[in-house]
Amino acid sequence: MIVLLCVISLTGQYSLRKHRLENGNRQTFEAMLGVMNQKPGCVFVYQGPPALYDTPYWCPLTNHPFPGHFHEKIEAHATGVDVLQETRRVLAERPEYIVTEDPSPLLENPLVRKEIFLEITVSYKLVYRFQGVNHSIYIYRHT
């Protein structure tokens, strides 16, 4: 039993360390919020930490608050909504911020990513980047 508890503890500590290196820590999260506090507005997390929806300036752009509902191929029909149509509807609301990560071609819905980045290219500028070990988190602000 003691060996099992030790293994579980070590596995948990490894997972926390990995998460911190890949996704940042409290200071990273506070830095993201600091950027968004410079110009308060709606946040759309296409890919990234859904905890950003807990910011003081969150508004209900969609009733699908989990980023995976939008960017993951496997989720394309899981919620009964046309993901591309919902993405277009959200983008039509002109969120102040869009949060993304590096592309994940094997897991990501390429049509939705294309739609997101067409809008980002035309109407947004990069205001924050966190470089993790295996990927980056980007925050774009509406121009």
Side-chain angles (χ1 to χ4, degrees), residues 29 33 45 48-55:
F29 186 72
L33 293 180
V45 182
L52 291 173
Y53 280 136
D54 293 333
T55 64

Side-chain angles (χ1 to χ4, degrees), residues 37-100:
N37 283 336
Q38 293 173 9
K39 187 175 180 189
C42 295
V43 177
F44 176 53
V45 182
Y46 166 67
Q47 275 178 301
L52 291 173
Y53 280 136
D54 293 333
T55 64
Y57 306 105
W58 177 83
C59 25
L61 294 169
T62 180
N63 61 359
H64 290 75
F66 300 103
H69 290 156
F70 288 91
H71 74 266
E72 292 180 9
K73 279 184 195 178
I74 197 166
E75 293 285 332
H77 303 288
T79 63
V81 70
D82 180 327
V83 178
L84 193 54
Q85 183 179 354
E86 181 70 0
T87 299
R88 289 179 178 144
R89 193 190 65 68
V90 168
L91 293 175
E93 296 286 326
R94 299 276 186 223
E96 189 63 38
Y97 298 96
I98 297 177
V99 181
T100 69

